[in-house]
Amino acid sequence: MKFSAVLPSWIVFLALAAMSLPARAQLADGAPMQSAGVRPDLLRDVGLDQKLGDSIPLDLSFRDEHGQPVTLRQFFGQKPVILTLVYYQCPMLCTEVLNGLLRSAKELPLQIGKDFTIVTVSIDPAERPILAEVKHELYTGLYGQPGAPQGWHFLTGSEPQIKALAQAVGFRYAYDSATGQFAHPSAIMLLTPAGKLARYFYGISYPSRDLRLGLVEASQEKIGSPIDQVLLYCYHYDPATGKYGLLISHVIQVAGGLTVLAMALAIFILFRRENYGLPGRDART
C-alpha cells in the first residue's frame, strides 16, 4: 500500500502524539516562551544573527522527504529560495511558522515551484524522512498548486550538517538533553539563486507584500511585474524589523514625476487640438 493512501491516519497519529509531548521552549518575535523544566540559561544561547550577503554552504547533505540523499545545491541556481529551520514533531511554534508561510504563499501572485522554492530543514537530527514526508504531503496539499510538490522540500539530516547550516544563517538554537527540549528563534530566510542570504522575516506572520518584494529582490529582479519594480522603489527593507517600510522621499519623487507627466500630456493634447482647429478657421476667412 502506498504511503499516500494512509496519510490521513498518519496525520491524526502525529497530531495526537504532538499533543502528548511536553511543550518545547521557543522564541517568537524575540520574546522567550518558556516551558516548565527548561533552564533559563539555555535562552542566552538562542537568537538570530542576520548575515545578509553571506553565502550558505551548498554542499551540505541531507535526506529529502522521500529519504533520498540530496545536497542544498540541488535547490539553488534558478530561483530564489525561502529557507525555514523547524522540527517536525514540534507542537507549538514550528507549526505556526509553516502555517504563516503557507498563508502568505497562497496570497502571492508568484507560485511555489515556478517562481521560487521553499526548503524546510529539521533541526532535530533524531527525526527521520517519514516525518518529512508527512509534512510534505500536508503542506503541498494545502497549497493546492501543481508545482508545489516539486517546489517545497522537507529535509532531515545529521547533527553536523544541521549545525553547519544553522551557523551559516545565524540561527542559534539550544537543546537540553536533560529534558529533551529545544529553544529556537522564529523566522524565515530568503536567499538568492546563488545561495546568498538576502532577507530575514521574523515571527510567525509574513505579510504577503513584504514576502513578494523580498522574493523579487532576491531573484535579482528577474521575477515579478513592473508594479513590483515601482513598489521596490517606494519601499525599503529594514534589517532591524525584518519588514519593508514606505520611503516617503521616493513616493514624493514618483508622485512628482507622475504630475509632470500628466501636465505634459495635457499640454500635448491641447496643442494638438489647437493645431487641428487652425486650418479650419483659416479656410473660413
Side-chain angles (χ1 to χ4, degrees), residues 34-82:
Q34 214 174 321
S35 64
V38 175
R39 291 178 287 126
D41 59 310
L42 280 178
L43 299 178
R44 291 199 297 266
D45 300 324
V46 176
L48 189 64
D49 305 317
Q50 291 199 28
K51 298 189 176 183
L52 295 172
D54 286 5
S55 296
I56 66 170
L58 297 180
D59 291 328
L60 293 176
S61 59
F62 295 88
R63 296 269 178 183
D64 69 9
E65 58 273 1
H66 306 300
Q68 299 300 313
V70 294
T71 63
L72 293 180
R73 190 176 302 278
Q74 294 175 225
F75 309 117
F76 289 82
Q78 301 296 325
K79 307 177 185 71
V81 174
I82 298 176

Side-chain angles (χ1 to χ4, degrees), residues 21-265:
L21 291 174
R24 300 192 177 194
Q26 298 156 83
L27 295 179
D29 294 323
M33 300 174 61
Q34 214 174 321
S35 64
V38 175
R39 291 178 287 126
D41 59 310
L42 280 178
L43 299 178
R44 291 199 297 266
D45 300 324
V46 176
L48 189 64
D49 305 317
Q50 291 199 28
K51 298 189 176 183
L52 295 172
D54 286 5
S55 296
I56 66 170
L58 297 180
D59 291 328
L60 293 176
S61 59
F62 295 88
R63 296 269 178 183
D64 69 9
E65 58 273 1
H66 306 300
Q68 299 300 313
V70 294
T71 63
L72 293 180
R73 190 176 302 278
Q74 294 175 225
F75 309 117
F76 289 82
Q78 301 296 325
K79 307 177 185 71
V81 174
I82 298 176
L83 176 66
T84 61
L85 297 179
V86 299
Y87 57 99
Y88 303 136
Q89 295 186 89
C90 173
M92 293 174 57
L93 193 57
C94 298
T95 299
E96 294 301 321
V97 168
L98 294 176
N99 288 347
L101 177 56
L102 175 66
R103 285 193 298 269
S104 296
K106 294 178 73 172
E107 295 174 359
L108 292 174
L110 309 172
Q111 292 186 13
I112 299 173
K114 177 183 177 183
D115 300 302
F116 63 98
T117 300
I118 302 179
V119 176
T120 298
V121 180
S122 171
I123 61 174
D124 187 349
E127 293 188 329
R128 296 293 177 258
I130 186 65
L131 293 174
E133 188 170 10
V134 170
K135 292 293 187 180
H136 180 261
E137 293 277 356
L138 175 61
Y139 281 97
T140 58
L142 290 173
Y143 182 69
Q145 297 295 328
Q150 294 75 40
W152 192 339
H153 305 276
F154 289 79
L155 311 183
T156 56
S158 64
E159 187 171 8
Q161 304 291 301
I162 295 169
K163 284 189 173 181
L165 176 59
Q167 183 176 6
V169 301
F171 188 92
R172 294 185 283 111
Y173 64 99
Y175 177 71
D176 186 353
S177 58
T179 61
Q181 298 180 1
F182 278 97
H184 63 84
S186 167
I188 63 175
M189 288 72 71
L190 267 62
L191 296 97
T192 69
K196 290 187 177 181
L197 288 157
R199 297 288 180 260
Y200 289 74
F201 295 128
Y202 301 121
I204 58 176
S205 179
Y206 319 105
S208 57
R209 182 204 64 202
D210 291 353
L211 194 58
R212 173 183 177 180
L213 295 179
L215 285 168
V216 172
E217 281 194 296
S219 73
Q220 299 167 355
E221 302 181 15
K222 292 180 181 178
I223 62 175
S225 66
I227 294 177
D228 293 317
Q229 309 308 320
V230 174
L231 289 174
L232 280 173
Y233 185 75
C234 295
Y235 285 83
H236 177 69
Y237 175 76
D238 184 357
T241 62
K243 296 181 179 180
Y244 280 83
L246 195 63
L247 278 177
I248 299 300
S249 59
H250 283 189
V251 173
I252 292 174
Q253 290 174 359
V254 170
L258 291 175
T259 301
V260 171
L261 182 62
M263 292 177 61
L265 181 61

